[in-house]
Amino acid sequence: NATPETRKFEAEVAQVLHLVTHSLYSHKEIFLRELISNASDACDKLRFESIAQPDLLAGEGELQIQVSWDPQARTVTVRDNGIGMSRDEVVANIGTIASSGTRRFLEAMSTEQKTDARLIGQFGVGFYSAFVVADRVTVLSRRADLATGEGVKWESDGKGEYSLSQVDLPERGTAVILHLKADEDEFLKGWELRSLIRKYSDHVAFPIRMPKEQDGKPGEEFETVNDASALWAKPRNEISDEDYQSFYKSLGHDFNDPLAWTHNRVEGSQSFTTLLYVPEQPPFDLMMGGRDERKGLKLYIKRVFIMDAAEELLPNYLRFVRGVVDADDLPLNVSREILQHNRQLERIRAACVKRVLDLIEKLARDEPEKFATFYKSFGNTLKEGIAEDSANRERIAKLLRFASTKGEGAGQTVSLDDYIGRMTVGEDTIWYITADSYAAAVGSPQLEAFKAKGTEVLLMSDRIDEWMLGSLNEYAGKKLRNVAKGELPLDEAGKKQQEEANKAAEPLLKKLKDLLGDRAGDVRVSARLTDSPSCLALSDYEMAPHLARLLREAGH
Ligand code: ADP
Ligand code: MG
């Protein structure tokens, strides 16, 4: 075989390596979970490709993952007989940073100067966690469709360079060999590795095998150490909360426990299973970048992993949901293009939305603290659903919470139903104000007349509110209206007062109109104010000042 070629990591990889090895130090054992999860992905991919090319599976037994250790050589090896990588794939996947998510991660980490371990799992920098415990990593890999002579050996100390050479590999798939750092002896013990696998990878759907121990040393014989079943396919009453939580973590992208989950089986002309989780914390890039790379919802067909299909299975405003959908009746060779126009999938998608909204409603009803956590993390994402999902608009609106002149300070705790419950007989308008901040909203002179009359006003100051309100004109038969827009409804006495005031002010109004010219559409006597001498108001069809400013900022 030719002499190895040495290459430099892309500058960003070196940076990521540095960040990962330093910030993951307190969670260093997760390297094992990350490598096992890659091995499991590789087995999933091979099983999927073998649907079209059955002979890819030939030669070796069952798809599996092996974890072994060698106390003399001080190595831990994670091996799989999955899809494997070609030379180009090795270079592309572990020598450069292919995903734009990782780039965003890097930018975030360097601007915020903060290295939060929780963030790392969300960006698919999993492989590099090997360097938290190893000072040298060797990868041996051969793609399932290449000849035995076309194996690749990749090796690096994680400092800036790696070497590549072509090797003979009789077995397909990938072996990752960790040469442990001097003080990482704990990972050279079989029981320690075994308990980590039970903790983090029990529900990986392929068998994870380890050598049986003989006199404290790894023996020749292997045994399966994980549960190796598809958790979602079991009946609910056979699954503990711990099972659900550990399965969630094995899906990747989050180190924390999930906030809540919902697990359902639909039987009938079309049968499918959904296991959907709501995380506790928003992923770092939920609001900015979450859109183009949505991961975390896996589509299986009869237990065979088909693809990450978050976009096909859930609308954008529920992009925080993680989990698994397993359909019985879709063709195994289904493609992304087919999925986008598939009637069966539409039904599954509607069922997913329903399940998630049911789950959130249940939190709101029965578990106020969890609901508050949910709302803090995902309330603003949910608001997008008001515009995006008109069929569920009323259900979503019911879940929204706002600050209010009758609420608890800046806390977003008042629902539209709370507001309606406090209305006096005959009132038919839900009043709100939008502003850049809670302070600006609550201090606005526009509220004076409402205060004087004792009318509640919702105080909205999230960036998305104005946009959302464009699609929320009505709730439960009540109109939603901006206090800054148009004429206020007045009772008879009020109307009379207004007319008189208008008459008395005529000379002043004329003068002001002349002075302001084109800069004001109109100058009127207002019933809005009780203390301040004047305020700006909008006609019914004008843009709110807050939205106008947002659009200007965005360059419109
Ligand atoms: P992620 O798994 O989120 O994509 P990783 O850093 O864990 O990120 O892995 C990077 C890529 O390297 C994977 O997407 C995959 O293409 C490749 N890879 C890693 N481990 C294996 C493996 N055991 N078999 C095949 N490909 C692998
Ligand atoms: Mg990974």
Side-chain angles (χ1 to χ4, degrees):
N1 286 329
T3 42
E5 172 193 356
T6 305
R7 297 199 188 189
K8 272 192 169 24
F9 281 123
E10 229 187 7
E12 279 106 333
V13 176
Q15 254 174 294
V16 167
L17 273 166
H18 180 84
L19 277 167
V20 168
T21 47
H22 285 80
S23 56
L24 271 187
Y25 202 72
S26 51
H27 299 261
K28 54 188 170 186
E29 78 276 7
I30 64 127
F31 78 89
L32 190 59
R33 186 191 70 186
E34 292 299 319
L35 297 180
I36 288 175
S37 124
N38 286 349
S40 164
D41 290 349
C43 292
D44 271 333
K45 281 181 202 156
L46 179 58
R47 191 158 61 177
F48 180 61
E49 287 197 15
S50 71
I51 295 166
Q53 287 170 271
D55 50 334
L56 284 182
L57 283 175
E60 272 159 81
E62 184 189 14
L63 287 166
Q64 60 174 287
I65 300 161
Q66 288 184 354
V67 177
S68 53
W69 75 103
D70 181 337
Q72 261 81 54
R74 307 196 68 262
T75 57
V76 170
T77 300
V78 178
R79 180 193 304 276
D80 64 74
N81 58 359
I83 189 71
M85 286 178 276
S86 67
R87 181 188 176 98
D88 288 348
E89 283 170 330
V90 168
V91 171
N93 296 336
I94 56 186
T96 55
I97 293 183
S99 103
S100 56
T102 310
R103 275 183 212 288
R104 279 201 301 277
F105 160 77
L106 254 186
E107 282 158 23
M109 291 296 225
S110 48
T111 53
E112 300 200 357
Q113 293 294 315
K114 131 175 133 180
T115 46
D116 182 347
R118 187 177 63 75
L119 292 178
I120 290 175
Q122 301 165 358
F123 288 89
V125 288
F127 171 78
Y128 299 116
S129 63
F131 289 100
V132 178
V133 295
D135 48 23
R136 187 156 54 95
V137 176
T138 311
V139 178
L140 298 170
S141 192
R142 176 169 69 79
R143 211 180 190 289
D145 54 5
L146 293 177
T148 52
E150 295 193 60
V152 196
K153 179 178 175 184
W154 178 100
E155 196 164 61
S156 176
D157 62 2
K159 298 242 163 60
E161 285 179 347
Y162 60 90
S163 72
L164 266 180
S165 49
Q166 190 169 339
V167 290
D168 228 42
L169 294 176
E171 289 169 353
R172 67 156 192 259
T174 304
V176 179
I177 303 159
L178 310 180
H179 307 267
L180 296 182
K181 291 178 183 170
D183 50 353
E184 305 296 354
D185 286 357
E186 62 186 292
F187 300 114
L188 290 174
K189 298 188 185 89
W191 60 266
E192 173 73 24
L193 294 170
R194 197 171 296 228
S195 79
L196 289 175
I197 292 170
R198 295 302 298 249
K199 182 170 169 194
Y200 290 116
S201 310
D202 204 27
H203 299 294
V204 165
F206 298 95
I208 303 173
R209 302 227 156 97
M210 285 183 69
K212 283 188 180 164
E213 261 182 274
Q214 283 166 353
D215 315 321
K217 290 189 199 109
E220 295 291 307
E221 222 183 307
F222 279 69
E223 62 185 345
T224 302
V225 296
N226 68 327
D227 187 50
S229 69
L231 184 81
W232 64 87
K234 292 185 178 180
R236 273 190 296 213
N237 58 12
E238 286 175 23
I239 309 176
S240 69
D241 284 0
E242 289 71 35
D243 289 334
Y244 278 119
Q245 281 161 348
S246 86
F247 180 69
Y248 172 75
K249 290 179 191 163
S250 76
L251 289 172
H253 306 291
D254 198 354
F255 296 180
N256 298 322
D257 280 336
L259 186 70
W261 56 85
T262 171
H263 181 195
N264 302 1
R265 169 109 190 121
V266 173
E267 305 272 4
S269 61
Q270 190 190 349
S271 305
F272 56 92
T273 302
T274 55
L275 171 53
L276 305 170
Y277 291 90
V278 173
E280 194 177 85
Q281 305 267 351
F284 176 80
D285 58 347
L286 182 75
M287 290 314 273
M288 329 119 66
R291 280 160 195 278
D292 32 82
E293 273 181 61
R294 283 169 55 195
K295 272 199 174 179
L297 196 57
K298 293 176 185 291
L299 174 65
Y300 286 75
I301 297 176
K302 298 187 206 65
R303 317 248 185 113
V304 176
F305 173 73
I306 304 298
M307 62 181 103
D308 267 303
E311 256 147 278
E312 288 77 11
L313 293 168
L314 279 173
N316 208 21
Y317 74 100
L318 297 178
R319 61 185 174 277
F320 50 84
V321 172
R322 302 275 177 266
V324 168
V325 170
D326 194 343
D328 292 2
D329 308 319
L330 290 169
L332 273 173
N333 60 357
V334 75
S335 71
R336 205 171 281 282
E337 290 65 43
I338 295 175
L339 280 184
Q340 272 152 5
H341 310 282
N342 183 284
R343 297 266 308 282
Q344 279 168 295
L345 202 79
E346 263 168 48
R347 243 172 281 148
I348 296 177
R349 184 180 158 109
C352 287
V353 172
K354 183 181 176 308
R355 293 303 182 189
V356 174
L357 293 178
D358 286 348
L359 178 64
I360 302 171
E361 274 167 12
K362 199 160 139 271
L363 289 184
R365 195 176 55 235
D366 305 332
E367 300 187 81
E369 261 169 48
K370 280 194 182 174
F371 180 74
T373 305
F374 163 79
Y375 201 76
K376 205 161 155 265
S377 295
F378 304 113
N380 279 338
T381 321
L382 194 65
K383 285 175 187 170
E384 294 173 21
I386 294 288
E388 191 186 350
D389 187 357
S390 52
N392 287 301
R393 185 170 295 150
E394 191 97 355
R395 282 190 83 181
I396 299 167
K398 205 181 187 64
L399 292 167
L400 301 182
R401 300 290 184 268
F402 303 100
S404 159
T405 53
K406 294 196 177 166
E408 306 150 28
Q412 300 187 347
T413 54
V414 174
S415 69
L416 295 174
D417 290 324
D418 294 336
Y419 185 109
I420 292 172
R422 285 193 282 260
M423 277 179 162
T424 50
V425 187
E427 281 183 314
D428 61 357
T429 305
I430 299 173
W431 292 99
Y432 65 85
I433 183 168
T434 57
D436 284 343
S437 65
Y438 169 75
V442 76
S444 165
Q446 310 270 15
L447 296 183
E448 286 170 12
F450 292 86
K451 258 183 224 150
K453 280 178 69 182
T455 306
E456 178 166 12
V457 178
L458 300 175
L459 307 168
M460 308 209 186
S461 54
D462 287 322
R463 283 180 86 92
I464 187 163
D465 288 338
E466 189 69 52
W467 181 75
M468 167 194 75
L469 287 159
S471 305
L472 190 65
N473 305 314
E474 238 186 71
Y475 174 78
K478 313 284 181 195
K479 288 250 173 313
L480 272 86
R481 283 190 63 185
N482 189 331
V483 299
K485 282 191 183 181
E487 287 295 329
L488 299 181
L490 294 169
D491 50 23
E492 280 310 308
K495 270 186 195 146
K496 205 154 166 221
Q497 214 182 349
Q498 175 98 353
E499 270 164 33
E500 279 162 20
N502 267 329
K503 216 171 229 150
E506 235 163 57
L508 174 65
L509 291 181
K510 187 172 177 323
K511 212 167 185 177
L512 283 172
K513 273 185 212 166
D514 291 346
L515 264 172
L516 291 169
D518 284 345
R519 279 174 291 165
D522 196 8
V523 182
R524 270 180 288 169
V525 173
S526 173
R528 281 199 164 78
L529 304 174
T530 57
D531 299 327
S532 306
S534 70
C535 73
L536 293 170
L538 301 169
S539 75
D540 276 342
Y541 305 102
E542 245 173 316
M543 229 183 256
H546 179 64
L547 182 58
R549 194 158 47 243
L550 280 181
L551 288 174
R552 265 201 311 281
E553 278 169 21
H556 291 278

